[in-house]
Amino acid sequence: MKNGCGYQRNRWSTWLKTRFSPILATISIVLLVSCRTPPVPPAIEVGYLDETATVDGLLEETKYQMSVFAGNFKAVCKPGIVPPKTKVWLWWNERGLWFAFAANDGQIIDGPPSANEHAVDAFDRVEIFLWPEQSSRYFCVEIAPSGAVHDYSARYYRHFDDAWHPEGASFAARRTPEGYSVEGFLPTIALHKMGFERWEQGTQFRLGLFRADFCQEMPADPLWLSWIDPQLSQADFHVPGAFAPVILQRYK
């Protein structure tokens, strides 16, 4: 009887392995791939600007009555902190890329524009980073409430080149009752030199939108804000996870 029972068990075990091994193998592969390959978020649409625009920092044109491109900024690596309000508008047309920030700030840390671009590192500021597809370089523009600008290109990881300046670009900043506002324009001549082979509907790239908010009590520890949650152990926007894909779109 023991031998007979053993024989039956072996047949049952063989049948189970034959029946379910392919299924288990498939499940294992799916789980392995899902763990190793994070899901790619859908590209966020950048709308088309079909009206005249002036870069003066005032944010008075009718386009600013439209919905903001980004407004849910997050305090990076500081859970529980309610970040100051930040709104961003972003458009494109055949002339180039237009952007604007409105930043609430009750204690502005700032300084005048100077030949020392790195002075901006100690100021309150907004930041826009662009990373063209298939490019090893990305491009950064940081603008303080005074209009002081630090622009540079970079390669991963943190290889900076301060010699880069976007040709034909214009930037402006203003103090407001709530804090400060910033406007900027990057023309197509600058975008092409940055590596954008096409600048038209359907063009995709990766974008970063950030802000540094300093206070007098802790000048070495600013509050870093990001339009997405990069899920980092420390604030660092020079990593791929701080960017998100966007696509130029034109509605008829």
Side-chain angles (χ1 to χ4, degrees):
M1 290 292 293
K2 291 181 180 179
N3 291 339
C5 291
Y7 173 71
Q8 293 294 334
R9 283 196 298 269
N10 288 338
R11 290 187 60 189
W12 179 250
S13 176
T14 301
W15 183 84
L16 285 174
K17 290 179 180 179
T18 304
R19 181 73 173 177
F20 291 105
S21 290
I23 297 175
L24 293 174
T26 301
I27 293 173
S28 299
I29 292 172
V30 170
L31 290 174
L32 184 61
V33 171
S34 64
C35 289
R36 290 187 175 181
T37 308
V40 177
I44 303 168
E45 296 181 351
V46 178
Y48 184 84
L49 181 64
D50 56 3
E51 64 179 76
T52 303
T54 301
V55 178
D56 55 17
L58 293 175
L59 312 191
E60 292 180 338
E61 293 91 341
T62 57
K63 63 179 181 288
Y64 292 112
Q65 299 173 11
M66 305 177 190
S67 299
V68 299
F69 177 78
N72 186 25
F73 275 64
K74 301 161 181 64
V76 178
C77 300
K78 291 189 177 181
I81 296 292
V82 178
K85 189 174 182 179
T86 309
K87 294 189 292 186
V88 179
W89 293 265
L90 194 71
W91 299 278
W92 76 280
N93 59 23
E94 288 76 11
R95 292 181 59 194
L97 181 71
W98 308 81
F99 64 88
F101 288 76
N104 285 19
D105 194 336
Q107 185 189 81
I108 293 179
I109 307 299
D110 196 11
S114 71
N116 178 18
E117 285 191 273
H118 281 280
V120 177
D121 298 349
F123 300 160
D124 289 337
R125 61 186 183 272
V126 295
E127 305 179 350
I128 180 169
F129 293 5
L130 291 81
W131 199 330
E133 284 193 321
Q134 311 303 322
S135 175
S136 61
R137 293 198 303 165
Y138 58 97
F139 302 85
C140 313
V141 179
E142 306 180 2
I143 308 172
S146 64
V149 176
H150 183 195
D151 48 18
Y152 55 96
S153 66
R155 298 179 188 272
Y156 185 79
Y157 172 65
R158 303 185 72 88
H159 296 288
F160 303 131
D161 180 6
D162 286 326
W164 176 77
H165 305 288
E167 181 178 345
S170 56
F171 311 110
R174 300 264 184 168
R175 297 286 185 100
T176 67
E178 296 79 19
Y180 63 99
S181 59
V182 167
E183 276 186 306
F185 170 64
L186 296 171
T188 51
I189 187 172
L191 294 166
H192 289 318
K193 290 184 177 181
M194 291 160 61
F196 289 92
E197 297 180 0
R198 299 183 305 116
W199 188 254
E200 59 190 21
Q201 177 169 312
T203 296
Q204 296 193 48
F205 58 97
R206 298 186 71 82
L207 175 72
L209 299 169
F210 316 110
R211 179 180 165 188
D213 188 31
F214 286 81
C215 66
Q216 292 179 345
E217 293 78 12
M218 294 184 293
D221 186 26
L223 180 64
W224 294 102
L225 307 180
S226 172
W227 71 313
I228 62 172
D229 184 1
Q231 298 183 352
L232 303 170
S233 58
Q234 61 181 6
D236 185 354
F237 300 144
H238 295 279
V239 295
F243 293 75
V246 298
I247 182 171
L248 304 185
Q249 194 60 268
R250 181 170 185 169
Y251 301 105
K252 296 182 180 180

